Amino acid sequence: MGSSVIRASWVSGRTKTRAMWFESNRTDRARTLGRVITHPDKVLFPDDGITKGELAAYYEAIAPVMLPHLHGRPVTMERYPAGIGRQGFWQKDVSKGFPEWLQRVKVPKKDGVVHHPIVTDTRSLLWITNQNTITQHVWISRVPDLNYPDVCVFDLDPSKDDPAAVRAAAIELRDLLDELTLPCWIKTTGSKGFHIVVPLDGKTHISHVARFANAVGTLFVSRAPDRLTQEFSKKDRRGRIYVDTGRNGYSATFAAAYTVRAKRGAPVSAPCTWEEIERGKVEPVTFTLSNMPARIKKVGDLWADMKRRGRSLKRPIQLLARLK
């Protein structure tokens, strides 16, 4: 079956739980879209035996909750043609060799333009997956106006695997944002940390969002400089948690909600609740391609109402100036 073209909802019999969920979530529409998946038997996660067909089946099934978070955002594809055991690469531009129906956006750069793909539906999500894309990285803004973000992202990246420490830092950052009257949502990164996300009303220019995020990060680090840092260089972090606010610059990206990460176990960057964080129930790699079926069945999309909760940064900027 190595070179055949099959529907995305195909899964091997290797993992019964995954197979049952994908089978039960197939729709007539998904069946018509499944023709885009080639080489379904290709193993992308060698330590786990997870194939390209199973990855595509996951994205087909998760699409109803994932697509609202992808819609309109320029995508950078993290591709692994030979699986995660070999070197992969990141691809932004889709100006050549891509179907006409795939929506793209021209983004100016210093020496020209980049044609980023835009995921609009299950068909386009599966097409990107068929390029051996494991992770979709997305902008904080959406077309048509990429200069006005609808989220502000804080990435807590520990120097070492320390779930308890990074959970504590996430709660402290949430409390600081609460002082600034900003509600925030949280998701695992599928790596070592968490993403804390503030929904915005889309009326603040991206340059001001980036400056605000950096200033919040600076204040946050100043409250616990022995545990937190804004040092980009790993050697300068000295074991501290890196408070990365660089995800808020123009053309910067973060791992999309519900995307799979290119790591052993196929961890998923998945939304969770603050209660789960406070009770120590969730770690950065708790959710995986294998256990997300039960997770979605139990809690649905925890970020479903986030977009409707977007806040202005006018008052938070004023409050931040008083706290500094």
Side-chain angles (χ1 to χ4, degrees):
M1 195 182 292
S3 61
S4 63
V5 181
I6 63 166
R7 59 172 51 102
S9 50
W10 174 92
V11 290
S12 74
R14 186 184 297 108
T15 307
K16 185 176 181 181
T17 301
R18 289 201 299 264
M20 289 176 63
W21 185 57
F22 296 141
E23 180 70 26
S24 66
N25 280 274
R26 286 190 303 183
T27 63
D28 290 338
R29 177 169 172 74
R31 293 189 186 98
T32 66
L33 300 176
R35 299 173 183 172
V36 302
I37 302 303
T38 58
H39 305 284
D41 285 331
K42 180 190 293 185
V43 176
L44 295 182
F45 295 81
D47 290 337
D48 306 284
I50 297 173
T51 66
K52 181 180 178 181
E54 289 175 309
L55 179 69
Y58 166 78
Y59 279 126
E60 180 184 78
I62 205 72
V65 296
M66 185 178 189
L67 288 173
H69 305 293
L70 289 173
H71 186 75
R73 301 191 190 279
V75 173
T76 295
M77 302 180 292
E78 187 178 349
R79 298 176 60 188
Y80 291 85
I84 67 171
R86 303 287 294 275
Q87 184 69 39
F89 62 95
W90 291 39
Q91 180 176 347
K92 298 180 180 181
D93 192 76
V94 292
S95 57
K96 297 180 180 179
F98 289 76
E100 288 299 318
W101 56 260
L102 182 69
Q103 185 173 328
R104 286 155 283 189
V105 57
K106 292 183 180 180
V107 178
K109 65 174 184 176
K110 186 175 182 180
D111 56 348
V113 296
V114 177
H115 300 78
H116 279 276
I118 300 290
V119 172
T120 55
D121 53 17
T122 306
R123 183 189 188 191
S124 51
L125 177 59
L126 292 180
W127 192 91
I128 285 176
T129 304
N130 196 47
Q131 311 313 303
N132 302 293
T133 299
I134 291 178
T135 305
Q136 307 88 19
H137 300 269
V138 295
W139 286 38
I140 61 170
S141 52
R142 306 178 191 247
V143 294
D145 198 341
L146 297 177
N147 287 308
Y148 290 85
D150 66 346
V151 292
C152 176
V153 178
F154 297 87
D155 182 1
L156 298 183
D157 183 13
S159 298
K160 57 184 178 181
D161 288 327
D162 191 342
V166 76
R167 277 197 301 263
I171 292 169
E172 291 167 3
L173 179 54
R174 178 201 63 185
D175 293 344
L176 171 56
L177 291 168
D178 187 60
E179 292 180 52
L180 299 173
T181 69
L182 290 173
C184 59
W185 278 249
I186 187 169
K187 70 179 178 72
T188 64
T189 61
S191 183
K192 293 186 295 184
F194 294 100
H195 286 155
I196 289 81
V197 179
V198 176
L200 304 177
D201 64 2
K203 296 180 181 180
T204 303
H205 193 274
I206 194 166
S207 61
H208 297 299
V209 173
R211 283 199 291 270
F212 172 78
N214 184 66
V216 171
T218 299
L219 176 59
F220 184 44
V221 168
S222 73
R223 292 183 172 186
D226 58 322
R227 295 184 289 110
L228 308 172
T229 182
Q230 283 185 301
E231 293 288 350
F232 179 79
S233 174
K234 291 185 178 180
K235 66 180 180 63
D236 293 329
R237 296 179 192 175
R238 302 197 303 275
R240 295 172 293 177
I241 296 171
Y242 177 42
V243 182
D244 183 3
T245 60
R247 308 293 176 179
N248 300 288
Y250 186 80
S251 81
T253 63
F254 68 104
Y258 300 107
T259 195
V260 178
R261 306 307 302 271
K263 297 181 178 294
R264 184 176 181 176
V268 172
S269 183
C272 52
T273 68
W274 283 110
E275 181 181 1
E276 289 173 321
I277 297 296
E278 291 169 337
R279 296 176 62 187
K281 297 295 186 181
V282 170
E283 297 186 3
V285 293
T286 291
F287 306 114
T288 67
L289 181 149
S290 296
N291 64 30
M292 281 302 292
R295 173 70 173 175
I296 293 300
K297 183 177 181 180
K298 179 179 180 181
V299 304
D301 179 16
L302 294 173
W303 282 14
D305 67 338
M306 185 173 71
K307 187 176 180 180
R308 297 190 295 271
R309 301 281 297 278
R311 296 295 184 89
S312 168
L313 284 184
K314 289 183 178 180
R315 178 162 172 74
I317 288 173
Q318 295 172 349
L319 293 171
L320 180 61
R322 299 173 191 171
L323 291 174
K324 291 169 65 175

